[in-house]
């Protein structure tokens, strides 16, 4: 009695385990990238996985007062969180996107590392996504904040800074344009003081942040709606560790993402620098949204790959009804479905990264640019939903053990659930797709149809793919009918017909 202990599923080098990633990179990038990812895969198993787990088990806390009763509002994170920041810099997890060593394939290289990092990294991917987004905004606006840009994109762990993205207020997380109440008062030196309340701010231990506020005139009046919003850059902490005109009201008690501090902040005279033109805040932060939504996509796929890998590994070790799970046809069918979802999502995510890389390398055709605009929200909303369902099914394939905390599996489901909420909910992103159609007078759809038709022509050459191609042609015809009405109508009308 009691002599049997189930062998656990073992996590091994996730790069060497991932034939699709290897084949994809081999086609497009030099051998040194494979070497880099091979070593990174080893580091994930030997070091990063344990740090991520420590972040889950040691969530951040808010220290409101010091021993002598002074208000300090310090967010205390564990050592593993700090270590992950250093590793992120060393591995160039943001930097690689800006060094552009591999030309138009640089984003694919960077995002391949993020994809491997995500399921081990204790959600350190959250600050990295926002840091990348902030760097992108600074680069695309061409504003003279060189020191900040260098710090956000450095590989030097001592100089590396992360950024927050404070958009959501109590009235508006989706409807930021009418919900933002924060005001910005101009100072004599040209800087601003911000007053307001930010309802969700993740990775609040960041060094700097981008945020939105309404500039007031000398009578304290400001413009409502999106044309009243401007974009600001601010340091979160002063050099002595005190807050920059901020009170941390509390840390959120969340379903998942417990590794990440997410705070409610009262801005009470936060000193900030105007980044965008006045009234162009939403359009300017859209560049950040593109980057963070692509990170969200890549992390969703990384999580899907991890759970699928673990399920496959477990099926080789767990027996039921006299044989291993891997020898039960029905179980294999379940795992095959997870595998197919994961592979398709991977290729979709990498295609979006490829388009981003081409745009940044100035080698994008007009069609590439239109596709990037259209596919970014589609990829984010679709892979977020996929991740929840794949991880949920994945947990079931461990039976009861999938429900047990110290296997580390349940946190994967909790953390997946946020992917469809932050960075734009599914419906809001669906409306963003319609916005992109309306704003381009349908050109994004034209680009999509041309692209898919060309891909189908290639696929038609293969007899094995013929049934799939026929069914795709049918779906494409239905989409084209929708597109014909969509191109001519404003977004509101599109929403009715969607
Ligand atoms: C694991 C990875 C981790 C990722 C990090 C997660 C950390 C958590 C961070 C957050 O959750 S941060 C908060 C994220 N918040 C959102 O995503 C807000 C959701 N709401 C939207 O996305 C709305 O669509 C949006 C506020 C952006 C705009 O709504 P409006 O007011 O209806 O915008 P409007 O008036 O249509 O557009 C204003 C301008 O922005 C227009 O430009 P123009 O003035 O030049 O015409 C739009 O074209 C432009 N715009 C809007 N969305 C765009 C865009 N441009 C490019 N791309 C877009 N997606
Ligand atoms: P609402 O906008 O009130 O949406 C409620 C529901 O209504 C949703 O289902 C939505 O899809 C739907 N809806 C809204 N508008 C429409 C419409 N026009 N048509 C159809 N349906 C609609 N925000 C930040 O700015 N910075 C952060 O760092 C940050 N971190 C976060 C961390 C976590 C863990 C979470 C959970 C959230 C975080 N957020 C952050 C906030 C997040 O971005 C918002 O919660 C999200 O954008 C939704 O906004 P909301 O909560 O106001 O929901």
């Amino acid at each position: 009695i009691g002599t049997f202990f189930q062998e656990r599923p073992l996590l091994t080098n996730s790069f060497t385990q991932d034939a699709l990633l290897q084949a994809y990179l081999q086609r497009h990038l030099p051998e040194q990238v494979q070497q880099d990812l091979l070593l990174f895969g080893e580091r994930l198993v030997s070091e990063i996985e344990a740090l991520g787990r420590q972040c889950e088990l040691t969530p951040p806390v808010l220290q409101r007062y010091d021993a002598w009763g002074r208000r300090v509002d310090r967010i205390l994170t564990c050592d593993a969180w700090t270590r992950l920041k250093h590793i992120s810099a060393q591995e160039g997890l943001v930097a690689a996107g800006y060094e552009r060593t591999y030309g138009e394939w640089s984003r694919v290289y960077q995002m391949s590392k993020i994809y491997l990092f995500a399921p081990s990294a204790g959600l350190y991917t959250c600050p990295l996504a926002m840091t990348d987004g902030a760097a992108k905004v600074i680069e695309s606006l061409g504003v003279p904040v060189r020191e900040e840009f260098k710090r956000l994109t450095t590989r030097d762990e001592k100089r590396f800074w992360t950024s927050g993205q404070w958009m959501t207020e109590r009235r508006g997380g989706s409807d930021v344009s009418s919900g933002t109440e924060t005001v910005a008062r101009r100072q004599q030196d040209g800087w601003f003081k911000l007053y307001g309340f930010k309802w969700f701010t993740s990775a609040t231990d960041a060094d700097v942040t981008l945020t939105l506020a309404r500039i007031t005139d000398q009578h304290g009046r400001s413009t409502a709606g999106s044309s009243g919003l401007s974009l600001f850059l601010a340091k979160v902490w002063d050099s002595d560790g005190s807050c920059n005109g901020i009170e941390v009201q509390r840390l959120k008690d969340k379903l998942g993402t417990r590794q990440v501090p997410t705070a409610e902040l009262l801005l009470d005279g936060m000193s900030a620098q105007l980044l965008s033109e006045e009234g162009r805040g939403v359009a300017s932060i859209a560049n950040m949204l593109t980057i963070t939504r692509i990170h969200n996509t890549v992390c969703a796929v990384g999580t899907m790959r991890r759970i699928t890998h673990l399920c496959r590994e477990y099926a080789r070790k767990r027996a039921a009804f006299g044989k291993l799970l891997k020898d039960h046809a029905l179980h294999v069918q379940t795992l095959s479905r997870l595998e197919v979802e994961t592979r398709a999502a991977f290729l979709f995510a990498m295609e979006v990264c490829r388009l981003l890389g081409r745009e940044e390398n100035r080698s994008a055709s007009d069609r590439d640019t239109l596709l990037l605009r259209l596919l970014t929200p589609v990829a984010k909303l679709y892979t977020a939903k996929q991740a929840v369902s794949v991880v949920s099914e994945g947990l079931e394939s461990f039976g009861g053990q999938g429900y047990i905390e110290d296997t580390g599996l349940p946190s994967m489901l909790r953390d997946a659930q946020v992917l469809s909420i932050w960075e734009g909910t599914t419906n809001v992103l669906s409306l963003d797709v319609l916005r992109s159609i309306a704003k381009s007078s349908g050109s994004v759809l034209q680009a999509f149809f041309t692209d898919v038709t060309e891909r189908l022509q290639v696929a038609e050459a293969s007899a094995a793919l013929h049934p799939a191609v026929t069914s795709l042609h049918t779906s494409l015809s239905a989409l084209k009918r929708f597109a014909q009405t969509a191109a001519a109508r404003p977004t509101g009308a599109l929403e009715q017909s969607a």
Side-chain angles (χ1 to χ4, degrees):
I1 294 175
T3 54
F4 172 77
F5 292 99
Q6 177 61 48
E7 251 190 277
R8 68 170 70 185
L10 262 194
L11 181 67
T12 47
N13 187 322
S14 12
F15 178 64
T16 53
Q17 288 297 327
D18 196 330
L20 183 59
L21 173 65
Q22 288 178 53
Y24 186 86
L25 294 179
Q26 219 156 26
R27 276 171 58 197
H28 304 299
L29 280 150
E31 173 61 24
Q32 73 207 70
V33 165
Q34 305 263 344
Q35 285 307 316
D36 181 52
L37 267 66
L38 183 69
L39 292 176
F40 188 50
E42 288 301 323
R43 195 173 190 187
L44 283 165
V45 184
S46 62
E47 186 181 3
I48 297 171
E49 178 71 14
L51 294 172
R53 188 70 191 145
Q54 195 185 325
C55 291
E56 171 74 18
L57 299 176
T58 329
V61 289
L62 172 62
Q63 181 197 2
R64 192 158 284 142
Y65 300 98
D66 74 6
W68 304 97
R70 277 189 203 87
R71 185 86 190 242
V72 287
D73 286 8
R74 283 201 190 104
I75 295 171
L76 307 176
T77 53
C78 63
D79 292 346
W81 184 256
T82 311
R83 185 80 196 114
L84 286 169
K85 181 178 184 180
H86 294 163
I87 291 173
S88 301
Q90 291 162 5
E91 294 288 344
L93 296 182
V94 177
Y98 296 86
E99 292 161 350
R100 301 194 179 129
T101 310
Y102 302 106
E104 64 183 63
W105 292 98
S106 299
R107 281 292 186 179
V108 166
Y109 164 57
Q110 176 210 6
M111 292 296 178
S112 298
K113 291 188 89 165
I114 295 280
Y115 158 80
L116 293 173
F117 187 61
S120 294
L123 254 292
Y124 207 81
T125 44
C126 167
L128 293 182
M130 298 191 290
T131 302
D132 195 346
K136 175 76 178 181
V137 168
I138 293 172
E139 185 183 62
S140 48
L141 288 175
V143 278
V145 282
R146 288 189 58 77
E147 176 59 14
E148 284 81 352
F149 180 76
K150 279 192 201 155
R151 282 184 176 266
L152 297 171
T153 57
T154 183
R155 282 182 186 251
D156 178 351
E157 65 193 54
K158 294 198 190 74
R159 293 179 47 76
F160 182 49
W161 276 358
T162 57
S163 175
Q165 175 185 10
W166 304 349
M167 296 175 70
T168 305
E169 300 198 5
R170 287 197 190 106
R171 279 178 192 278
S174 305
D175 189 5
V176 172
S177 299
S178 39
T180 302
E181 295 175 315
T182 300
V183 293
R185 294 192 196 135
R186 197 184 300 271
Q187 306 298 295
Q188 298 219 317
D189 60 2
W191 281 56
F192 289 79
K193 293 246 184 242
L194 268 51
Y195 298 85
F197 196 91
K198 297 293 173 183
W199 180 230
F200 276 90
T201 64
S202 281
T204 328
D205 59 321
D207 303 278
V208 291
T209 192
L210 296 197
T211 193
L212 296 168
R214 297 183 194 283
I215 297 177
T216 55
D217 63 18
Q218 67 268 42
H219 307 294
R221 289 181 303 231
S222 59
T223 309
S226 92
S227 61
L229 284 174
S230 303
L231 179 63
F232 294 86
L233 169 70
K235 275 197 174 167
V236 182
W237 311 97
D238 290 328
S239 44
D240 62 356
S242 60
C243 306
N244 167 19
I246 302 165
E247 276 185 23
V248 183
Q249 171 130 329
R250 60 174 167 162
L251 293 186
K252 303 264 195 199
D253 182 7
K254 298 171 288 178
L255 168 70
T257 70
R258 292 181 189 166
Q259 315 88 324
V260 183
T262 300
E264 296 169 16
L265 299 179
L266 174 72
L267 310 188
D268 189 16
M270 179 172 81
S271 192
Q273 191 176 356
L274 182 64
L275 266 197
S276 69
E277 274 176 47
E278 287 187 30
R280 296 293 295 159
V282 177
S284 302
I285 209 168
N287 272 318
M288 183 174 212
L289 292 173
T290 299
I291 297 295
T292 49
R293 287 169 183 174
I294 293 174
H295 274 260
N296 204 86
T297 303
V298 170
C299 293
V301 185
T303 303
M304 289 159 69
R305 170 48 68 207
R306 170 62 56 84
I307 194 77
T308 305
H309 169 59
L310 291 176
C311 295
R312 217 175 40 202
E313 160 71 4
Y314 192 61
R316 289 196 197 103
K317 292 180 168 162
R318 176 74 175 169
F321 298 99
K323 53 188 180 182
L324 291 170
L325 294 179
K326 76 173 179 56
D327 297 321
H328 286 279
L330 198 51
H331 193 72
V332 171
Q333 188 195 52
T334 302
L335 299 192
S336 309
R337 286 193 176 133
L338 300 186
E339 184 65 36
V340 168
E341 291 283 331
T342 303
R343 286 190 189 193
F346 171 85
L347 292 171
F348 188 14
M350 284 301 150
E351 178 60 7
V352 177
C353 298
R354 186 185 76 86
L355 293 168
L356 175 66
R358 281 175 71 80
E359 190 190 53
E360 293 179 335
N361 194 50
R362 297 181 204 288
S363 44
S365 62
D366 290 347
R367 194 208 291 179
D368 290 334
T369 305
L370 291 165
L371 282 174
L372 177 63
R373 176 67 186 92
L374 175 73
L375 297 181
T376 300
V378 176
K380 193 280 188 183
L381 75 88
Y382 197 79
T383 54
K385 291 289 199 204
Q386 273 182 306
V388 176
S389 92
V390 165
V391 174
S392 173
E393 185 72 79
L395 257 56
E396 189 177 332
S397 82
F398 288 92
Q401 284 303 94
Y403 207 69
I404 298 306
E405 270 299 330
D406 54 3
T407 61
L409 295 166
S411 63
M412 292 181 78
L413 184 58
R414 286 199 295 270
D415 292 346
Q417 189 66 55
V418 83
L419 296 169
S420 64
I421 298 175
W422 65 17
E423 295 303 348
T425 60
T426 309
N427 280 349
V428 166
L429 291 174
S430 308
L431 296 175
D432 189 48
V433 171
L434 298 184
R435 180 190 284 107
S436 76
I437 296 171
K439 214 170 168 195
S440 68
S441 307
S443 300
V444 290
L445 283 180
Q446 202 47 56
F448 175 74
F449 291 132
T450 311
D451 192 67
V452 175
T453 306
E454 283 179 13
R455 285 170 194 263
L456 288 179
Q457 275 162 4
V458 175
E460 258 161 355
S462 152
L465 290 175
H466 219 270
V469 172
T470 310
S471 114
L472 279 170
H473 272 306
T474 313
S475 311
L476 207 59
S477 305
L479 256 179
K480 274 187 180 157
R481 281 195 296 280
F482 171 68
Q484 273 157 5
T485 50
R489 298 164 70 181
T491 317
L494 288 176
E495 193 183 332
Q496 301 303 318
S497 58

